[in-house]
Amino acid sequence: MKPREKIAYALSGLLLFFAMLYSIDWSWSEWRHSQYVLRLDIGDCFIFLAFVPGVLAIVYHLVTVRERRDQNRAEVALYYQWRDARPSHRAYQVVPRLPQATSGPSSAIAATLLLTSVFLFVAVVPIAYTNWRGTEYAGILYAGLGAYSSVLYFMISRLYASALSSRFLMSNAIGSASAVVMGWVFASIGLSVLDVDPKSFNLATVLFLTGLFHKWAFDALRRRARKLFGQPDPEGVELPLDTIEGIDDVHADLLSEYGVSTVQHLATAEPGELCERTLLPLDRLTDWIDQAILVTYLKRHILLARTLGIRSAIDLVVIHTRATTGPPGPMSDLLDSLGEKVSMPRAAIDAIALKLHSEYSVGLLYELQEGQPIP
């Protein structure tokens, strides 16, 4: 058994041993054990649960991450070797590969300590304040429980995707702390700040949902503040990442950790760099980037284009090439249908296809997927 695996098993066993010692009262008489009493109230239970995400994260980094990271770096190294060998028509030098900043689980351990400390703070509330019900301390507890449930939900999905990173732990620690603060504020000043009718929603329910969806709660506060101070809404609305086929909430959260929070960010991302950071497969990322490039032109009309079988920039370029290199036929009729569905003239569709044909990123994605230059 490898040393890392031994440490992982030791941490898992220590978590169970800690729960047993903390929840049992041992009684001794004349140096002899006489009886024990099992007690596990709400505070004791959550103190035990507060260590679960941290131990899971450390065990994951000790056992899984190193092998997954080495495999990913080998795949990305082949990509960069292929990319540097192909002719580039960019006006500037392609950015070289960035070296790995850290190695080992040290960053994950630091983030784990911060995340665990937030949940331990929440667990102390019902123990230190026996009359926490109906007070502002209830906001800390309910919002903390919601944030804890959110972290576990996303952590399970990250474990399935082999994408549990120290950046995820750090961002969730900060997000959970902000959720606890918002819960305390809502319990102190009421739900009027959210424009919620107290008669329609139970306070504890709203506090729990604040922690469970703290990003949405923050967005609701921002919209409320914008309306209060008379600030106009932004004219340009960025499309969310779930506009792309294959990106769900978990993958959108993963991409957001590395600065890719909108479709426009994804369309201009470097596939190799994004693959190395997120540990997602390179072919999946290239497909998402290919879709995102077309979405930046068609916006929400991409749903109409998908009904015609046009879901990515490469699809539009290939169809346009076939439509313009021969007599009018089905491909030309398909472009006419696309223009009618998205309320754009055929000339605009042709202009978009020609622009995409000349883009460096589209040519790179086509050659990466098809193994030959774009026709």
Side-chain angles (χ1 to χ4, degrees), residues 125-137:
V125 170
I127 298 177
Y129 302 94
T130 56
N131 59 341
W132 57 270
R133 294 178 176 84
T135 65
E136 62 272 11
Y137 299 109

Side-chain angles (χ1 to χ4, degrees), residues 47-118:
I47 282 184
F48 162 66
L49 293 177
F51 288 91
V52 173
V55 172
L56 287 177
I58 295 178
V59 170
Y60 171 83
H61 277 79
L62 290 174
V63 177
T64 306
V65 164
R66 181 171 298 181
E67 288 76 8
R68 181 72 179 90
R69 174 68 67 181
D70 293 341
Q71 180 183 0
N72 172 264
R73 290 181 66 85
E75 180 182 5
V76 173
L78 293 176
Y79 162 78
Y80 278 110
Q81 183 179 1
W82 168 85
R83 189 202 67 175
D84 296 339
R86 66 187 299 270
S88 175
H89 303 288
R90 283 190 170 186
Y92 58 91
Q93 184 67 27
V94 177
V95 179
R97 182 182 183 185
L98 296 176
Q100 188 177 5
T102 59
S103 60
S106 56
S107 58
I109 294 175
T112 296
L113 292 176
L114 179 60
L115 181 63
T116 304
S117 63
V118 173

Side-chain angles (χ1 to χ4, degrees), residues 115 119 143-152 154 168 170-183 186 194 206-222 253:
L115 181 63
F119 293 140
L145 291 175
Y148 180 84
S149 302
S150 176
V151 170
L152 286 185
F154 282 101
F168 165 82
M170 185 66 69
S171 62
N172 275 272
I174 299 174
S176 299
S178 64
V180 169
V181 174
M182 285 191 292
F186 294 161
L194 289 175
V206 176
L207 294 174
F208 179 78
L209 292 177
T210 298
L212 191 63
F213 305 103
H214 52 270
K215 294 180 181 179
W216 294 358
F218 184 81
D219 291 339
L221 286 176
R222 183 166 52 186
D253 183 71

Side-chain angles (χ1 to χ4, degrees), residues 94-360:
V94 177
V95 179
R97 182 182 183 185
L98 296 176
Q100 188 177 5
T102 59
S103 60
S106 56
S107 58
I109 294 175
T112 296
L113 292 176
L114 179 60
L115 181 63
T116 304
S117 63
V118 173
F119 293 140
L120 284 177
F121 171 76
V122 176
V124 167
V125 170
I127 298 177
Y129 302 94
T130 56
N131 59 341
W132 57 270
R133 294 178 176 84
T135 65
E136 62 272 11
Y137 299 109
I140 297 177
L141 181 62
Y142 287 127
L145 291 175
Y148 180 84
S149 302
S150 176
V151 170
L152 286 185
Y153 169 77
F154 282 101
M155 182 174 287
I156 292 173
S157 302
R158 291 298 186 90
L159 290 175
Y160 287 150
S162 298
L164 183 62
S165 62
S166 58
R167 190 184 294 259
F168 165 82
L169 300 173
M170 185 66 69
S171 62
N172 275 272
I174 299 174
S176 299
S178 64
V180 169
V181 174
M182 285 191 292
W184 176 74
V185 171
F186 294 161
S188 301
I189 66 179
L191 301 179
S192 58
V193 67
L194 289 175
D195 197 17
V196 175
D197 185 7
K199 298 180 181 178
S200 302
F201 293 91
N202 182 270
L203 177 61
T205 302
V206 176
L207 294 174
F208 179 78
L209 292 177
T210 298
L212 191 63
F213 305 103
H214 52 270
K215 294 180 181 179
W216 294 358
F218 184 81
D219 291 339
L221 286 176
R222 183 166 52 186
R223 289 192 299 268
R224 181 71 169 164
R226 187 183 297 275
K227 181 179 179 181
L228 176 64
F229 295 108
Q231 295 298 314
D233 294 331
E235 296 181 0
V237 179
E238 293 287 350
L239 295 178
L241 288 174
D242 55 11
T243 308
I244 306 299
E245 285 185 333
I247 298 183
D248 54 11
D249 292 341
V250 175
H251 291 95
D253 183 71
L254 174 60
L255 294 173
S256 299
E257 290 179 12
Y258 299 95
V260 182
S261 57
T262 65
V263 171
Q264 192 274 339
H265 295 163
L266 182 60
T268 56
E270 164 60 40
E273 181 182 354
L274 199 58
C275 176
E276 188 170 17
R277 289 184 175 185
T278 62
L279 297 182
L280 292 173
L282 183 62
D283 54 351
R284 187 186 307 174
L285 289 172
T286 54
D287 178 67
W288 291 349
I289 295 173
D290 189 14
Q291 294 184 58
I293 294 174
L294 184 61
V295 173
T296 57
Y297 288 92
L298 299 184
K299 304 300 181 182
R300 297 193 180 276
H301 293 309
I302 188 63
L303 299 177
L304 301 174
R306 288 171 184 166
T307 61
L308 299 175
I310 304 174
R311 58 185 296 274
S312 66
I314 292 179
D315 291 341
L316 182 60
V317 169
V318 171
I319 292 175
H320 180 267
T321 302
R322 294 176 180 176
T324 56
T325 54
M331 295 296 118
S332 181
D333 296 338
L334 186 59
L335 294 179
D336 292 335
S337 299
L338 176 63
E340 294 177 359
K341 282 183 172 292
V342 301
S343 302
M344 297 175 63
R346 171 63 187 273
I349 300 296
D350 292 339
I352 293 175
L354 290 174
K355 189 176 189 322
L356 292 176
H357 188 279
S358 61
E359 283 193 8
Y360 168 83

